[in-house]
Amino acid sequence: MSGVTMIALSAFQIPARRRVYPADLASLLRPELPSLADEIIEEIRCCVTDFDRPLQGHFAVGIRVGVEQGLRQFVDQIADPMAAREQGIKVYRALGRGECREGRSLDGLQAAYRVGARVAWRRIAEVGQRAGWPPATMSFLAEAVFSHIEQIAANSVQGYSQERVRTAGMLQRPRRRLLELVLTRGRALSGETIRELASEAQWRLPQTVACVAVARRPRIGPAVGPDVLMDLERPDPCLLVPDPDGPGRHDMLARALPDSPFAIGPSVPLADAPLSLRLAAQALSLVQRGVIKCDHFVRCADQLPTLLLLRNEELIRLMTRRRYGPLASLKPLQRLRLSETLLDWLATGGSAPEIAVRLCVHAQTVRYRMRQLQELFGEDMNDPDWKFEMEIVLRTRLLLNTE
């Protein structure tokens, strides 16, 4: 039975102790089922990314049959309130296991449950209003529709967890070996070797991956998808995330690592995973030093200039000694003001009035500072190589807060 079947069922199963049914409820709902099935399918496809696929082939048949069967089963339960529910529980667990096998988190299925319940209740309310059902009946139905979502969600979570435990025990060794070889050998691994390792680990080869660097001994929450490879026992604990730019992937990581700062490396082909990990580790180190500011996590793609500038700090120190000497001899406040003015001049090539606007000072102040800089550096300020190196030095010092 498809996920959409369960969405329909979840919306309508009502605890026996709370049933207060009008005699005509089942007969009034039956004519609504075909159009309600259409509405549920369209709403889920519109609102839930995992279900936003063309209605073709097995997918289309599965959704159509599943929804219609689920709706019929609801009406049959109205006719027989004591109908067994054990089969539904088994199916909810099976849905959770299926999401795990497909390498998805439960987010999509949980969202589909909520959407299906909302659409189903909206139609029930319309039918009840037309039929004049009393407020007590409507209240019981509304409470049952939405409170039952929690129970079926728990069943799906249970099935998902059971499958993860089973899969983890069976696949832990080949997946850890796959991750280790990808991260240590990278492009040295042949395509055939990678395919063999991925097949053994039951891991779908993605178009792109990103490595995530985390602090030591992080607490991993259940939100992390089963397709994410991880090794938290390494000296540099990390995760490897397939298709990292897909919808919800960064949110998934934020929920999976609620208490740990982390850095997401750039998205790269699988063969370049070592590069992604190296940059992620560098970014995390800069976060821990306070050079890069972030509340929870940082994306390397947003910090590439910083990572480049600070890739070799020893080299930066050599460049600083070579170019920065005249400024280093000044008093701190004067050094800071001249450094800011020089950096704006190098970066923009602007006139004194333009630089003054950027620095929120008077244009005459900028001219005075530029004369001081000319006295300090002389003809070097006309040298393109000097300008290039000095801008690197100034930007790096600004990042490291060494002014």
Side-chain angles (χ1 to χ4, degrees):
M1 197 177 297
S2 75
V4 182
T5 305
M6 290 306 95
I7 295 158
L9 289 175
S10 72
F12 296 122
Q13 288 183 327
I14 303 170
R17 66 182 180 85
R18 301 300 302 274
R19 289 187 175 95
V20 183
Y21 292 148
D24 59 351
L25 190 147
S27 61
L28 288 176
L29 284 178
R30 287 189 189 280
E32 303 285 336
L33 300 188
S35 62
L36 178 55
D38 292 338
E39 188 176 356
I40 288 175
I41 292 171
E42 289 306 311
E43 190 80 2
I44 290 172
R45 291 183 64 231
C46 177
C47 298
V48 184
T49 303
D50 287 350
F51 290 86
D52 185 15
R53 287 178 275 167
L55 287 174
Q56 299 174 352
H58 295 298
F59 177 67
V61 173
I63 285 186
R64 173 59 55 186
V65 172
V67 170
E68 290 177 351
Q69 180 179 350
L71 294 173
R72 284 195 303 270
Q73 189 169 344
F74 160 68
V75 176
D76 292 342
Q77 194 173 15
I78 294 296
D80 180 11
M82 301 308 295
R85 299 171 59 189
E86 288 77 9
Q87 183 60 33
I89 293 174
K90 291 179 181 178
V91 175
Y92 300 140
R93 290 175 180 166
L95 281 171
R97 289 194 293 270
E99 292 296 286
C100 186
R101 293 191 191 106
E102 291 295 322
R104 293 189 291 264
S105 73
L106 278 174
D107 292 349
L109 185 59
Q110 303 283 37
Y113 283 151
R114 293 190 295 271
V115 170
R118 185 177 70 242
V119 173
W121 168 245
R122 188 167 61 212
R123 182 65 65 89
I124 290 175
E126 292 172 357
V127 173
Q129 191 173 34
R130 291 196 303 267
W133 294 342
T137 297
M138 301 299 293
S139 176
F140 288 148
L141 287 173
E143 180 183 351
V145 165
F146 293 103
S147 66
H148 192 68
I149 290 296
E150 297 179 6
Q151 182 57 52
I152 68 164
N155 291 329
S156 292
V157 169
Q158 185 178 28
Y160 190 91
S161 299
Q162 290 170 346
E163 184 64 19
R164 287 199 64 176
V165 170
R166 186 191 71 82
T167 302
M170 181 176 62
L171 300 177
Q172 182 177 16
R173 181 172 297 179
R175 287 196 169 191
R176 182 166 289 189
R177 180 168 177 264
L178 169 63
L179 178 63
E180 180 65 21
L181 289 175
V182 165
L183 293 180
T184 55
R185 296 182 59 185
R187 289 189 171 274
L189 280 175
S190 68
E192 182 179 357
T193 300
I194 290 178
R195 286 190 293 272
E196 290 176 357
L197 290 169
S199 176
E200 182 184 359
Q202 296 183 26
W203 190 69
R204 180 182 59 83
L205 286 173
Q207 292 293 321
T208 58
V209 299
C211 288
V212 178
V214 296
R216 289 292 294 165
R217 301 188 182 280
R219 181 174 68 86
I220 299 291
V224 65
D227 59 339
V228 175
L229 303 182
M230 68 180 77
D231 187 350
L232 305 181
E233 303 302 320
R234 292 167 53 95
D236 54 344
C238 67
L239 296 78
L240 188 143
V241 182
D243 304 319
D245 298 321
R249 298 299 264 176
H250 292 169
D251 291 338
M252 176 268 290
L253 289 170
R255 291 191 301 274
L257 294 161
D259 304 321
S260 301
F262 61 92
I264 306 173
S267 301
V268 295
L270 183 61
D272 289 328
L275 170 63
S276 184
L277 177 58
R278 187 165 64 249
L279 292 174
Q282 182 192 359
L284 181 62
S285 174
L286 294 174
V287 168
Q288 293 169 331
R289 290 169 54 187
V291 176
I292 294 178
K293 310 296 182 183
C294 76
D295 294 329
H296 189 183
F297 67 91
V298 62
R299 297 174 65 250
C300 287
D302 299 332
Q303 301 290 337
L304 293 180
T306 298
L307 296 174
L308 175 62
L309 285 175
L310 298 179
R311 183 68 184 92
N312 190 328
E313 293 186 42
E314 292 182 354
L315 182 57
I316 292 295
R317 283 194 289 271
L318 290 174
M319 292 175 63
T320 300
R321 285 198 294 269
R322 180 183 181 196
R323 298 298 190 189
Y324 196 75
L327 286 171
S329 62
L330 302 177
K331 293 180 179 180
L333 183 57
Q334 185 183 18
R335 182 170 64 243
L336 174 61
R337 290 171 175 172
L338 290 183
S339 295
E340 290 176 341
T341 304
L342 179 57
L343 180 56
D344 264 6
W345 177 73
L346 291 169
T348 67
S351 64
E354 292 170 331
I355 296 173
V357 171
R358 293 169 61 90
L359 296 177
C360 299
V361 298
H362 195 278
Q364 191 59 34
T365 301
V366 173
R367 295 188 184 96
Y368 173 69
R369 292 178 185 177
M370 291 303 299
R371 286 195 296 271
Q372 289 181 296
L373 290 166
Q374 192 70 45
E375 291 174 3
L376 289 171
F377 294 106
E379 288 301 316
D380 284 342
M381 294 182 66
N382 298 320
D383 181 357
D385 292 336
W386 179 91
K387 291 180 180 180
F388 177 70
E389 288 188 34
M390 182 58 83
E391 185 173 355
I392 291 175
V393 168
L394 292 173
R395 288 188 180 278
T396 305
R397 291 179 67 84
L398 180 63
L399 286 170
L400 296 176
N401 196 25
T402 54
E403 290 301 338

